[in-house]
Amino acid sequence: MSQTDTTVGGVEAPPTRDRSRPYWTSRRRDQLTGYLFIAPQLLGSAVFVILPLILVVWYSLHEWNVLAGTFDFVGTENYAALAEDTNLGSVLRATGLFSVGLVVFNLGLALLLAVLLNQKLRGTILFRTLFFSPVVVSLVAWTIVWGFLLQDNGGVNGLLDTIGVDGPNWLRGEGTAMFSVVVVQVFKNVGLNMVLFLAALQGVPAELYEAAEVDGASRLRQFWRITVPMISPTILLTSIITVVGSLQVFAQIAVLTQGGPGTSTTVLVYYLYQQAFQFHHFGYGATLSIVLFVIVLALTVLQWQMRKRWVHHES
């Protein structure tokens, strides 16, 4: 029956659908194509993100002893154990110290290098390559090499000895171990943020600097009034990436210091690893991972909300 209006007993009947019209219209085909394109991403997110989060919450409510083969429901006992853990305070302090040090030195040095390498001088391409090359080097290989360099009789102290300075045992001193780990990580990843800042700097219109020079603005004033506001979206991006990465550091601690001396470099991820895979407290390790997730989520949301105050064009 065609899609026409009919009347029955003086009452207009609703139109009927044309049964000859195919189900797979162009609109439905386009929708199916879109779903098929996003299906791999949705499947990957479900299997590798959502499902692990659900399992971690489930494991945190149990005491799982792999060696004994027991898996007992304990409710919120693992969460109550957080308040009784005497090491957790020092672990959180070490995590905060590492994160603050990495974010400050990494972003500051990356921005400085980007500004210097944005100048139209000879050799800048070579230096860009040199500063970025550590990013593509294997993290473990990079850390092992620095472990040899920072030993008591390593290359760093050997260099200091040539100028008459007796260097410390960088990785075994409580005052130098955390600083050494931060420096190793800064040198490893500063090139990535440098490239991002460099791309942002090259997108700043030159007319703004020319107008500022006409008005008599100094180079420093141009930097704070023009450069920083114009690259503020990139600053937000790099800060979020660096903060999240600093909270997830593991390989550097495991290779360089193993959390020592004492617990001075035992960050939250390494402490989680110790509890779960060395002491076989998988339930408590899962609880610590929930703590890490909450911290990362809270800091990311805080940074995203604060963007309205200092990121250009945000309101």
Side-chain angles (χ1 to χ4, degrees):
M1 182 181 295
S2 61
Q3 188 174 346
T4 58
D5 295 338
T6 60
T7 59
V8 178
V11 179
E12 184 176 317
T16 59
R17 185 174 64 87
D18 188 355
R19 297 183 183 277
S20 63
R21 184 181 180 184
Y23 179 79
W24 287 109
T25 61
S26 60
R27 179 180 180 182
R28 287 195 174 99
R29 286 197 298 268
D30 291 342
Q31 290 176 342
L32 178 61
T33 302
Y35 288 135
L36 291 176
F37 272 118
I38 66 174
Q41 178 67 29
L42 291 177
L43 181 61
S45 298
V47 173
F48 297 108
V49 178
I50 299 176
L51 180 59
L53 283 175
I54 296 174
L55 290 176
V56 164
V57 174
W58 177 248
Y59 292 152
S60 69
L61 301 175
H62 294 76
E63 182 55 43
W64 186 8
N65 192 321
V66 178
L67 299 179
T70 59
F71 189 71
D72 302 322
F73 181 79
V74 295
T76 59
E77 289 184 11
N78 287 323
Y79 293 92
L82 293 172
E84 302 174 1
D85 191 345
T86 56
N87 293 323
L88 187 58
S90 62
V91 169
L92 293 177
R93 283 194 297 271
T95 304
L97 182 61
F98 179 86
S99 297
V100 172
L102 181 64
V103 171
V104 171
F105 285 112
N106 192 311
L107 295 184
L109 181 59
L111 183 56
L112 175 62
L113 291 174
V115 171
L116 294 176
L117 295 178
N118 194 39
Q119 310 300 319
K120 295 181 180 179
L121 301 174
R122 295 182 60 183
T124 54
I125 297 179
L126 173 63
F127 283 104
R128 292 175 189 175
T129 305
L130 290 176
F131 285 123
F132 184 78
S133 58
V135 177
V136 299
V137 175
S138 167
L139 176 61
V140 175
W142 174 269
T143 308
I144 290 175
V145 171
W146 272 99
F148 286 115
L149 292 175
L150 293 172
Q151 288 180 354
D152 191 23
N153 57 349
V156 174
N157 282 346
L159 183 61
L160 293 175
D161 188 60
T162 60
I163 57 176
V165 177
D166 186 16
N169 192 341
W170 297 95
L171 299 177
R172 295 295 176 263
E174 291 192 5
T176 58
M178 180 61 76
F179 174 77
S180 302
V181 176
V182 170
V183 169
V184 171
Q185 182 64 10
V186 167
F187 287 164
K188 176 68 173 67
N189 287 332
V190 70
L192 177 61
N193 287 338
M194 179 200 71
V195 170
L196 295 175
F197 283 136
L198 192 58
L201 288 172
Q202 293 177 351
V204 179
E207 294 81 3
L208 298 178
Y209 295 110
E210 295 172 358
E213 289 181 1
V214 172
D215 292 339
S218 64
R219 298 295 292 270
L220 182 61
R221 190 173 182 84
Q222 292 178 33
F223 177 79
W224 287 111
R225 296 294 185 179
I226 298 176
T227 304
V228 172
M230 293 299 294
I231 69 172
S232 55
T234 304
I235 296 177
L236 174 65
L237 171 65
T238 54
S239 64
I240 292 177
I241 294 174
T242 307
V243 168
V244 173
S246 68
L247 293 172
Q248 297 176 343
V249 63
F250 171 77
Q252 300 87 328
I253 302 297
V255 174
L256 292 175
T257 65
Q258 297 79 47
T263 58
S264 60
T265 60
T266 303
V267 295
L268 188 54
V269 174
Y270 189 75
Y271 188 59
L272 184 160
Y273 161 79
Q274 287 181 318
Q275 292 295 324
F277 299 102
Q278 291 184 355
F279 307 144
H280 303 290
H281 298 157
F282 286 95
Y284 190 60
T287 306
L288 291 172
S289 67
I290 296 295
V291 174
L292 175 64
F293 173 76
V294 171
I295 293 174
V296 172
L297 179 63
L299 290 178
T300 303
V301 171
L302 178 62
Q303 288 178 288
W304 185 252
Q305 292 298 323
M306 290 181 62
R307 81 190 191 283
K308 299 178 181 179
R309 297 187 177 183
W310 60 274
V311 176
H312 192 54
H313 292 320
E314 289 284 348
S315 61

